[in-house]
Amino acid sequence: MPTGSARRTKSSPGVRHSFTEVASSSFHRRARWSNAGGAASGASSRADVGTADYRGTVTDHPQQPTPPVTDRRPAARTHHGDTFEDPYEWLRAKDDGEVVAHLEAENAYTSARTAHLAPLREAIFGEIKGRTLETDLSVPARRGDWWYYGRTVAGAQYGIQCRAPLDSPDDWTPPELSPDVSVPGEQVLLDGNIEAKGNEFFSLGSFSVSIDGTRLLYGVDIAGDERYTVRVRDLTTGENLVDEIPGTFAGAVFSPDGRFIVYTTVDDAWRPDTVWLHEIGTPVDTDTQLFHEPDERYWVGAGFTRSERYLLIQVGSSITSEELLVDADDLRRQPRSIWPRREGVEYSSSHAIVDDQDVLYVLHNDDALDFELVKVSASDPQGPREIVIAHRAGRRLLGVDTFRDWGVVGYRREGLERLGLLSYADGDVTELTFDEPLYSAGESVNNEWAPPLLRLGYGSFVTPGTVYDYDIASGQLLLRKRQPVLGGYDPADYGQARVWADADDGTRVPVSLVWKRSFGEPGAAPRPVHLYGYGSYEHSIDPGFSVARLSLLDRGVVFAVAHVRGGGEMGRQWYEDGKLLAKRNTFTDFVAAARHLVSEGYTTPDRIVAEGGSAGGLLMGAVANLAPEMFAGILADVPFVDALTTILDPSLPLTVIEWDEWGDPLHDADVYAYMKSYSPYENVRADAEYPRILAVTSLNDTRVLYVEPAKWVARLREVGADALLKCEMVAGHGGVSGRYNAWRERAFELAWLLDVLGLAEAPSK
């Protein structure tokens, strides 16, 4: 189940964009790996580290290469009477040959500086590969007369989307598939390896099969700029139709009758602003505009309710949202607003039929900081509201998803995301319970309107990703699959716990820890630590498993997540206290977490490497300036480190949308001064001894432009910092495409991290 309000994502609970999840629908500067269970949390571990200070040092190698010299060229910006000299702004000219040459020189320098780590990179890549069941299948999900699932094949970069027929209409138990056994009636819908042939980058942004099962639409990006070309395939012949829609955003879907495609396009600032209707077999230039949002603060998205009764058009900013309904049997009708937008009020809705009446379950924050759930008539949504789940401070309602006979509610309490089954009869919520103290549980792919089972995903820092079906009638959790981890992985060999750090203002900040038990319990003696953080957009870093992280844990590293303010772990107020003119709390919370780990004996400053990506990269740049002495190294992925320059320019992607998150420094002098006080690029210190820094970016990133880390690294080198820049020349915000490429990219980062910690020679055990 998509969680969170429409503010964060285009998807709302109860809206079917496609039957399989293929792309992120967030429009913010999200971390490339925004879940600590993903690659970003790939910490590794092992080996004792001596007392030497590794901060700012490099493994001893003769004839160190010389870093590129970045020209200083006069440029300045002036706002609110303040002039800032910006000699590296010329690097913004992406198509300029000098800029490309500079980035290639940076890559060559980084390659030379890290050449000694090639054996370690290869070892880590081998560990990731060796722990992964390369030829595997996902758990089939039912839709219509078919089971849909994905295949991976050893040696192939991309997944293969398949389906197989049901045995009968009453068949709700997914077939247990084996890579070694052919699947009766299997049909390959889309082989990503074939589609990607001849391209360095490949990504799917839309993937939808018509309800009658005869057609497939898919959206392809081959540049990394998240602009997708939608194509349509006849599944009876395997041939593509003439329909081709270029320049779409992610999330295109078929209408319930299969006659139309609903899709969105973006404006020049990469803001999804228009919803379109394309009739199969007609020219694209005759497509109907269903909705356009002129206000640059708002994005739009669209999808059909699971009931297939309505098209739901969603409009949202960071703090305000609106949804509009269109009857699915008459898509060219004028959309009607559920609740007119009102500044500061967010809501999302899900359609249900209760006692033969069309109703909408609406989750909202109107005078309800942590949201409440109400029920309204679908024919008169602005009429009376019946409270279903009242607001309760500290229990953040995240989403509601509706089925024919029951609903599912997602909510956050005590720092963990939880799931509950909603009774339509009395509004009672039955919480699904799990044994581990730290875990993540959320709704997975549920395509059907009236299933007897609820598909959900589960995992923790030590438990690999798990797929369950929850039997509604019996209340049993039916294990369908747990991610295989080859090489004898045993969760009991690893530990996870949560500790609390005191922030500067006395706020208690949760910090999650993960470690391998054979190296001793955390706190028994100082250990190397990989400290991860994000802290923006109310996005929470929830417990999750990572194969890549084992390469750190097995070398003695403790992985830690600082759940700083600006995220959503502790409820909506936690987010409010880390945005706008309270943004500094995000940075000081992270420093407080590091200091707590040192003061309590978990580690020492020369044994901490910090990591964050995107908005978490802003966090990295800020803490590098605030407390450089606390870290041996900082790994900044696609870092938002020239934040003030970006947020001052409304022509850049996402800027106006983001004013509700960061403030509007263009028109507000106080916001300008506040942002200038923490923006990493402006605040690089000549008096600081910086830790070693690795910044990773992508040339085609539309969310955080490559120029930000390029300028930042140049400025850091001015003051003597040991800073490296690695720029993927054919990739976007998510990095390189293809699983083997992604593993190699992560191996590069982890090898650098281990080198900073003095563990480059440490064996994995």
Side-chain angles (χ1 to χ4, degrees):
M1 175 179 64
T3 57
S5 69
R7 181 197 61 77
R8 278 204 298 116
T9 64
K10 181 177 62 180
S11 298
S12 276
V15 177
R16 176 179 57 81
H17 291 276
S18 64
F19 69 87
T20 184
E21 297 173 10
V22 294
S24 167
S25 54
S26 165
F27 302 127
H28 297 296
R29 292 181 171 87
R30 281 281 189 82
R32 178 183 304 186
W33 301 284
S34 58
N35 188 309
S41 53
S44 122
S45 52
R46 155 63 188 123
D48 293 330
V49 180
T51 58
D53 185 351
Y54 292 97
R55 186 165 44 81
T57 66
V58 184
T59 305
D60 186 20
H61 295 280
Q63 299 179 340
Q64 286 288 343
T66 302
V69 176
T70 311
D71 287 348
R72 293 177 58 89
R73 301 181 183 178
R77 63 160 199 256
T78 300
H79 294 86
H80 308 292
D82 176 71
T83 297
F84 175 71
E85 300 295 331
D86 193 354
Y88 302 122
E89 178 61 15
W90 66 272
L91 291 171
R92 189 174 300 276
K94 175 183 174 182
D95 297 324
D96 188 307
E98 283 190 274
V99 172
V100 173
H102 174 78
L103 295 175
E104 290 173 341
E106 288 284 7
N107 283 342
Y109 173 66
T110 297
S111 179
R113 280 287 308 278
T114 58
H116 65 289
L117 298 176
L120 178 58
R121 290 197 295 265
E122 199 60 34
I124 294 173
F125 173 79
E127 291 163 15
I128 297 172
K129 187 171 180 285
R131 291 182 175 118
T132 302
L133 185 60
E134 296 177 73
T135 299
D136 200 6
L137 299 98
S138 65
V139 179
R142 175 172 163 162
R143 186 164 187 259
D145 297 329
W146 299 86
W147 291 108
Y148 291 87
Y149 54 95
R151 282 185 177 272
T152 56
V153 177
Q157 291 273 20
Y158 302 99
I160 303 169
Q161 302 301 319
C162 308
R163 70 179 181 181
L166 302 180
D167 288 338
S168 75
D170 297 325
D171 182 12
W172 289 98
T173 301
E176 295 185 21
L177 306 183
S178 169
D180 303 323
V181 179
S182 61
V183 180
E186 179 177 82
Q187 181 181 10
V188 174
L189 304 179
L190 189 79
D191 186 334
N193 303 286
I194 294 174
E195 300 297 329
K197 192 173 182 179
N199 297 299
E200 292 184 62
F201 184 90
F202 173 80
S203 176
L204 281 176
S206 299
F207 190 93
S208 176
V209 174
S210 60
I211 289 176
D212 65 8
T214 63
R215 288 174 174 167
L216 163 73
L217 74 78
Y218 61 102
V220 173
D221 168 20
I222 58 172
D225 60 2
E226 299 184 65
R227 288 168 171 82
Y228 302 89
T229 296
V230 169
R231 299 183 175 93
V232 181
R233 180 164 297 172
D234 185 330
L235 294 179
T236 60
T237 66
E239 300 296 323
N240 280 7
L241 304 183
V242 296
D243 302 77
E244 188 170 292
I245 311 172
T248 73
F249 194 70
V253 291
F254 281 115
S255 61
D257 61 11
R259 290 179 53 208
F260 301 96
I261 295 172
V262 175
Y263 65 95
T264 58
T265 55
V266 300
D267 63 11
D268 291 339
W270 195 72
R271 173 183 67 98
D273 67 337
T274 306
V275 180
W276 298 89
L277 184 70
H278 171 76
E279 185 169 2
I280 302 295
T282 65
V284 173
D285 59 12
T286 65
D287 288 358
T288 301
Q289 180 179 296
L290 296 181
F291 182 84
H292 174 71
E293 176 54 55
D295 191 329
E296 293 180 323
R297 297 176 302 162
Y298 292 85
W299 50 258
V300 302
F304 290 91
T305 59
R306 180 177 282 103
S307 64
E308 298 164 7
R309 185 73 60 90
Y310 299 106
L311 172 69
L312 191 65
I313 297 174
Q314 301 156 310
V315 187
S317 73
S318 286
I319 62 171
T320 305
S321 60
E322 181 181 17
E323 296 190 339
L324 303 97
L325 290 178
V326 182
D327 290 345
D329 57 3
D330 189 4
L331 290 172
R332 290 189 172 93
R333 288 184 63 180
Q334 182 71 21
R336 56 189 178 92
S337 178
I338 294 174
W339 292 351
R341 74 185 71 170
R342 184 152 56 89
E343 190 78 6
V345 174
E346 305 165 53
Y347 71 89
S348 60
S349 64
S350 193
H351 172 249
I353 301 173
V354 178
D355 297 330
D356 297 322
Q357 300 295 313
D358 277 336
V359 300
L360 297 172
Y361 283 87
V362 182
L363 194 74
H364 72 90
N365 69 341
D366 188 4
D367 198 27
L369 180 66
D370 280 318
F371 289 72
E372 75 173 4
L373 181 66
V374 300
K375 182 171 65 175
V376 299
S377 168
S379 61
D380 182 23
Q382 297 171 37
R385 304 179 183 183
E386 177 186 337
I387 295 177
V388 179
I389 302 177
H391 172 262
R392 190 172 78 202
R395 180 195 59 191
R396 169 68 161 96
L397 297 180
L398 299 171
V400 62
D401 200 1
T402 49
F403 297 80
R404 187 188 67 182
D405 301 319
W406 36 269
V408 180
V409 179
Y411 50 99
R412 185 174 295 280
R413 189 183 73 245
E414 297 169 348
L416 294 179
E417 187 174 354
R418 304 167 191 270
L419 277 179
L421 202 67
L422 173 68
S423 167
Y424 290 158
D426 54 19
D428 284 350
V429 175
T430 302
E431 184 172 303
L432 279 63
T433 58
F434 302 92
D435 294 333
E436 293 183 277
L438 300 178
Y439 66 86
S440 295
E443 193 181 339
S444 185
V445 181
N446 291 283
N447 305 305
E448 294 292 306
W449 174 233
L453 305 169
L454 174 71
R455 175 68 53 84
L456 58 95
Y458 174 87
S460 75
F461 288 120
V462 300
T463 300
T466 305
V467 177
Y468 287 111
D469 278 340
Y470 179 76
D471 188 303
I472 303 300
S474 69
Q476 287 185 305
L477 277 175
L478 307 174
L479 176 64
R480 299 306 190 194
K481 184 168 185 173
R482 179 158 287 145
Q483 174 189 355
V485 182
L486 307 183
Y489 174 77
D490 184 352
D493 292 340
Y494 301 82
Q496 60 174 348
R498 181 160 288 176
V499 298
W500 299 83
D502 291 330
D504 292 349
D505 61 2
T507 300
R508 300 183 73 226
V509 178
V511 182
S512 296
L513 303 177
V514 193
W515 67 94
K516 190 167 188 180
R517 296 187 186 279
S518 61
F519 292 94
E521 295 298 295
R527 297 264 295 279
V529 166
H530 175 202
L531 181 61
Y532 184 81
Y534 187 69
S536 292
Y537 307 116
E538 201 182 5
H539 181 66
S540 301
I541 305 299
D542 289 316
F545 186 77
S546 167
V547 166
R549 186 195 304 138
L550 296 176
S551 291
L552 296 184
L553 300 180
D554 288 358
R555 289 175 171 85
V557 178
V558 175
F559 176 64
V561 179
H563 302 281
V564 296
R565 282 175 284 185
E569 286 88 343
M570 304 302 291
R572 172 49 72 92
Q573 191 62 53
W574 197 252
Y575 165 56
E576 297 289 345
D577 289 343
K579 64 182 291 195
L580 297 173
L581 298 181
K583 189 62 200 172
R584 274 186 167 274
N585 287 334
T586 303
F587 316 138
T588 56
D589 282 1
F590 192 86
V591 173
R595 286 180 173 147
H596 175 83
L597 295 177
V598 170
S599 66
E600 295 300 312
Y602 294 100
T603 189
T604 55
D606 60 302
R607 301 182 186 186
I608 304 177
V609 172
E611 180 182 8
S614 198
L618 166 65
L619 170 61
M620 294 300 100
V623 301
N625 292 330
L626 280 174
E629 74 283 354
M630 288 304 302
F631 308 99
I634 288 177
L635 174 55
D637 291 300
V638 289
F640 184 37
V641 284
D642 192 14
L644 183 54
T645 301
T646 295
I647 298 299
L648 280 167
D649 188 349
S651 71
L652 292 178
L654 300 174
T655 287
V656 176
I657 287 176
E658 304 249 333
W659 282 346
D660 288 331
E661 177 76 18
W662 310 96
D664 175 6
L666 185 61
H667 303 102
D668 189 321
D670 290 338
V671 171
Y672 176 89
Y674 187 76
M675 288 194 70
K676 190 177 181 184
S677 74
Y678 69 71
S679 185
Y681 178 58
E682 281 89 345
N683 289 282
V684 171
R685 295 165 48 191
D687 65 339
E689 182 184 350
Y690 280 94
R692 289 169 60 182
I693 291 173
L694 171 62
V696 179
T697 188
S698 299
L699 185 63
N700 293 329
D701 192 341
T702 53
R703 303 189 185 213
V704 179
L705 303 185
Y706 72 90
V707 67
E708 299 200 27
K711 291 167 60 176
W712 182 51
V713 165
R715 178 71 184 112
L716 284 165
R717 289 212 192 109
E718 274 190 11
V719 299
D722 179 7
L724 301 179
L725 176 68
K726 183 174 187 288
C727 181
E728 297 294 342
M729 302 304 284
V730 185
H733 195 65
V736 295
S737 68
R739 57 176 178 161
Y740 294 102
N741 293 338
W743 295 348
R744 288 198 179 278
E745 181 179 45
R746 191 56 182 164
F748 179 94
E749 295 172 347
L750 295 186
W752 178 87
L753 188 154
L754 287 168
D755 190 44
V756 173
L757 291 173
L759 299 177
E761 306 298 327
S764 174
K765 64 181 183 180

